[in-house]
Amino acid sequence: MRGIAKSMARTFAVFLRKPVTRDYPTYHKPIPERDRAFPLLLWDEDIHEPFCTGCHACERACPVECMTVLMKDNPNHKNLDGTSSRRKIIDKFWIDYARCMRCNICVEVCNFDAIAMNNTWEGHEISVYDRQDLVMDLPQLLSQSRTGNINEWVPVLGQTNETMSETDAEVSN
Amino acid sequence: MVEVLSQTSDQSAEFETQDLLLNVGPQHPSTHGVFRMVMTVDGEVVRDVIPYIGYLHRGAEKLCETMDFRQGIGFMDRTEYLAAFNAELSYVMAVEALADLEVPERAQWIRMILCELNRLSSHFMFLGAFGVDTGVFGTPFIYAWREREALIDLFEEVSGDRMMYAYFRPGGVAWDVPVNFVDRVREVLISATQGINDFDSLLSENEIFLARTQGVGSISATRAIALGMSGPSLRASGVDMDIRRDEPYLKYDQIDWDVITGEHGDVFDRYYCRVLEMRESIKIVKQCLEHLAPGPILPEKLPRMLRTPPGEVYLRTEAPRGEYGVYMVSKGGNRPYRCKVRSSCLSNLQALQELTIGEYVADAIVILGSIDIVLSEVDR
């Protein structure tokens, strides 16, 4: 009987504690900056074009082959009286969110920091009725970055907290 | 048929009894995944049990052969989703042994902390699910979920994902832990200690729980070894064996902790071994935090695409459920020729038949729960 009484006492004690649950749809927990939802493309605000040059690095590195990349000559290149220094630019880009396993490899291999993992709630709350709707095309992939609704965190492999703060200091200087 | 019946009734018995074939699973909440048991029951007593596995087979080993070493990490996460850090660890350590990579100090301590915390979260999951198996509906499950949530929040802050971390890399860890990592771990450890105390006073001395678990599903030390069990399930039978102590990897030889062993090898011992092991894990993490010093987390000269010389290696680590080994053969190049996972759950599951036969049907579920299987690791 003593054991059962002890169990009941503990249950009662826990009952008096502050609850840890949250009402999810009304309350959105702040999520850490490293959070990885699905990958999306970043928008170069200065030149008004994507950072992505369509180099196929992410497409080749993707373990589940969820990406399709097509490249074209940049019509906005300097040789053509444009403003951009990118000779090639992304033409079409599809990411199949249904296939993606969010391993972060595409972000690591990108030479232009053009792709990032979505770390906002928009990246998590994707629900569709048709699986085809999870194949995102270029405008959809860029839209969140174009509206500035992303707190991008592009990890650099092997960067420690010390070197990270040094580079931050350099940038601010 | 009528004649046969009349014949037997003439001989001795008043009526004919027949063994019943009882199918449990594959879609059953008590089988902890897609696992099927076909039991032959005589009244309430199990006479025979045939386990069927393979419902969750995704060919992770074969997929690894087509992937380079970095891409394989993601698939290792999915072989053991409750302790993905431990699964990754075996894989990356096998790659490191093949490629002869030196891992920086800081990366090793970070790996150790995360693996022990992952052991905590995995054992919490076990305690919760096991409580439900024994019939304590709801309460321990929700307690476990509360504590596991705190741990998973920490993993999310470190690695960015809640279950499939993909955080370890051959040579170290992918990126550094957050600046407030040490404080956060200490916070989580306090809540985890509280959670273990909750479980201890809720279940460990409860007479109903003891009646359900003590003396059920016993296995002797010799049989447990013969069947290839490992981890807490083996130590509960009194075998003093822990890879962390016997073949220290990472920095376990610099840490002061005890290997927990049971006595009877019954369901209660398997449960209680895990509870005590969680307290040891907390002890280990606390010591690790003191050793954590600033430094590099990846080797300086790491090629963009890792290639290994030809060779083969078998590397085993102590995952929450036992020995998780990776046997890797390389014929040179950037991908393994063969990557075999030695699953602790599959080996522990071999004991199911021996443990269950002769017990009651209701206890069969408790016994299955006490082995603590993860079906994705069994089937891979």
Side-chain angles (χ1 to χ4, degrees):
Chain A
M1 266 324 276
R2 229 186 111 256
I4 295 174
K6 207 174 161 190
S7 308
M8 295 304 280
R10 179 63 70 161
T11 316
F12 189 69
V14 174
F15 171 69
L16 293 178
R17 269 185 223 158
K18 227 175 106 191
V20 291
T21 46
R22 305 277 197 156
D23 295 335
Y24 158 61
T26 47
Y27 174 80
H28 280 62
K29 190 187 81 162
I31 52 180
E33 62 171 1
R34 297 182 180 197
D35 185 87
R36 301 205 302 264
F38 293 104
L40 43 73
L41 296 177
L42 299 178
W43 182 255
D44 192 345
E45 285 292 338
D46 300 336
I47 319 179
H48 295 288
E49 66 182 21
F51 281 110
C52 182
T53 58
C55 69
H56 294 263
C58 50
E59 190 189 19
R60 265 180 280 148
C62 181
V64 288
E65 295 167 4
C66 69
M67 294 176 173
T68 313
V69 183
L70 289 175
M71 157 205 284
K72 69 176 177 192
D73 290 332
N74 192 356
N76 192 24
H77 188 248
K78 278 174 183 153
N79 291 355
L80 304 167
D81 303 328
T83 51
S84 169
S85 56
R86 293 184 185 87
R87 194 177 294 276
K88 300 280 186 184
I89 198 141
I90 183 71
D91 182 22
K92 285 174 179 151
F93 203 121
W94 292 278
I95 299 180
D96 189 349
Y97 278 6
R99 278 190 85 106
C100 175
M101 68 175 197
R102 302 176 295 145
C103 60
N104 207 49
I105 288 177
C106 49
V107 183
E108 282 164 26
V109 298
C110 184
N111 299 313
F112 307 98
D113 290 348
I115 192 164
M117 301 305 265
N118 195 342
N119 58 0
T120 60
W121 271 103
E122 281 76 15
H124 289 279
E125 294 175 326
I126 302 174
S127 301
V128 292
Y129 281 108
D130 191 350
R131 209 176 282 178
Q132 283 300 313
D133 296 343
L134 285 171
V135 182
M136 299 289 171
D137 59 9
L138 188 61
Q140 283 172 307
L141 290 169
L142 282 168
S143 65
Q144 207 176 325
S145 179
R146 286 184 79 162
T147 51
N149 183 19
I150 180 170
N151 168 27
E152 66 184 82
W153 188 76
V154 180
V156 181
L157 270 191
Q159 198 171 38
T160 62
N161 284 330
E162 288 76 42
T163 53
M164 221 181 299
S165 51
E166 275 167 28
T167 44
D168 283 352
E170 279 167 25
V171 169
S172 59
N173 288 341
Chain B
M1 196 64 200
V2 177
E3 283 172 62
V4 175
L5 272 176
S6 59
Q7 266 177 8
T8 47
S9 63
D10 283 343
Q11 280 167 359
S12 59
E14 297 85 42
F15 58 90
E16 171 86 345
T17 63
Q18 205 177 3
D19 284 352
L20 181 77
L21 213 61
L22 180 67
N23 181 52
V24 182
Q27 312 285 340
H28 192 280
S30 290
T31 56
H32 298 248
V34 274
F35 176 64
R36 181 172 166 225
M37 290 190 288
V38 176
M39 292 193 280
T40 312
V41 289
D42 177 9
E44 280 282 297
V45 182
V46 179
R47 291 282 175 233
D48 191 19
V49 54
I50 305 169
Y52 286 92
I53 59 169
Y55 293 98
L56 203 53
H57 178 67
R58 292 142 303 163
E61 293 174 1
K62 189 71 191 168
L63 277 168
C64 280
E65 293 170 19
T66 65
M67 307 277 162
D68 67 48
F69 291 117
R70 178 168 55 186
Q71 290 172 331
I73 297 168
F75 290 98
M76 284 299 123
D77 283 334
R78 282 150 181 83
T79 59
E80 160 133 69
Y81 50 76
L82 288 182
F85 276 131
N86 288 278
E88 277 174 37
L89 181 71
S90 295
Y91 179 83
V92 295
M93 277 172 67
V95 177
E96 280 155 14
L98 272 177
D100 201 17
L101 279 175
E102 194 74 31
V103 184
E105 289 265 313
R106 183 177 168 83
Q108 297 207 18
W109 289 114
I110 293 174
R111 280 181 183 185
M112 241 175 105
I113 292 170
L114 291 174
C115 282
E116 287 304 321
L117 289 174
N118 214 171
R119 188 185 313 276
L120 272 178
S121 83
S122 169
H123 280 356
F124 269 125
M125 180 70 214
F126 160 78
L127 294 181
F130 185 63
V132 176
D133 285 340
T134 50
V136 198
F137 188 75
T139 314
F141 195 71
I142 298 301
Y143 285 11
W145 225 246
R146 185 187 62 203
E147 305 308 334
R148 187 169 171 266
E149 179 71 19
L151 285 157
I152 283 182
D153 277 346
L154 177 67
F155 295 152
E156 189 184 15
E157 282 166 35
V158 174
S159 72
D161 212 310
R162 295 171 69 82
M163 277 176 92
M164 312 299 173
Y165 312 112
Y167 180 62
F168 294 166
R169 292 285 183 280
V173 294
W175 46 84
D176 209 348
V177 290
V179 184
N180 61 350
F181 178 67
V182 177
D183 299 332
R184 283 285 290 128
V185 174
R186 284 190 209 282
E187 240 172 69
V188 166
L189 285 184
I190 290 169
S191 79
T193 316
Q194 167 108 57
I196 300 168
N197 291 340
D198 283 353
F199 270 102
D200 237 359
S201 51
L202 185 72
L203 295 179
S204 302
E205 287 173 45
N206 192 318
E207 281 88 355
I208 304 169
F209 183 77
L210 294 181
R212 234 11 244 293
T213 53
Q214 273 182 338
V216 174
S218 299
I219 189 162
S220 67
T222 35
R223 284 308 293 161
I225 295 171
L227 288 164
M229 292 171 87
S230 57
S233 308
L234 175 69
R235 287 194 286 274
S237 300
V239 184
D240 190 11
M241 182 244 182
D242 193 316
I243 300 166
R244 287 175 289 173
R245 185 201 56 195
D246 300 340
E247 298 172 10
Y249 53 97
L250 295 180
K251 297 281 182 189
Y252 279 107
D253 46 351
Q254 297 182 21
I255 299 288
D256 176 36
W257 57 286
D258 300 319
V259 176
I260 307 293
T261 50
E263 223 175 295
H264 314 289
D266 58 358
V267 168
F268 180 76
D269 275 16
R270 283 197 282 277
Y271 155 81
Y272 203 57
C273 260
R274 288 190 168 92
V275 175
L276 295 179
E277 215 177 274
M278 285 162 77
R279 295 194 189 278
E280 293 300 316
S281 284
I282 288 181
K283 225 159 94 183
I284 295 174
V285 175
K286 275 183 181 161
Q287 292 176 51
C288 287
L289 285 177
E290 278 155 27
H291 284 95
L292 195 66
I297 51 163
L298 276 178
E300 275 179 21
K301 281 183 184 170
L302 198 64
R304 210 177 155 81
M305 177 65 81
L306 188 69
R307 285 168 207 281
T308 62
E312 59 180 296
V313 62
Y314 176 70
L315 208 137
R316 54 184 193 164
T317 59
E318 182 80 21
R321 283 165 202 79
E323 175 185 335
Y324 189 97
V326 171
Y327 173 67
M328 199 179 277
V329 183
S330 169
K331 294 206 164 179
N334 62 357
R335 55 190 62 178
Y337 177 75
R338 175 83 171 99
C339 176
K340 161 89 178 81
V341 175
R342 190 272 186 199
S343 155
S344 49
C345 296
L346 179 67
S347 304
N348 290 350
L349 198 57
Q350 307 305 318
L352 181 70
Q353 215 165 18
E354 202 156 315
L355 290 169
T356 315
I357 290 175
E359 303 282 352
Y360 290 120
V361 176
D363 289 341
I365 295 296
V366 178
I367 290 166
L368 180 70
S370 76
I371 306 174
D372 189 18
I373 49 168
V374 168
L375 262 300
S376 73
E377 195 192 327
V378 173
D379 299 336
R380 302 189 290 283

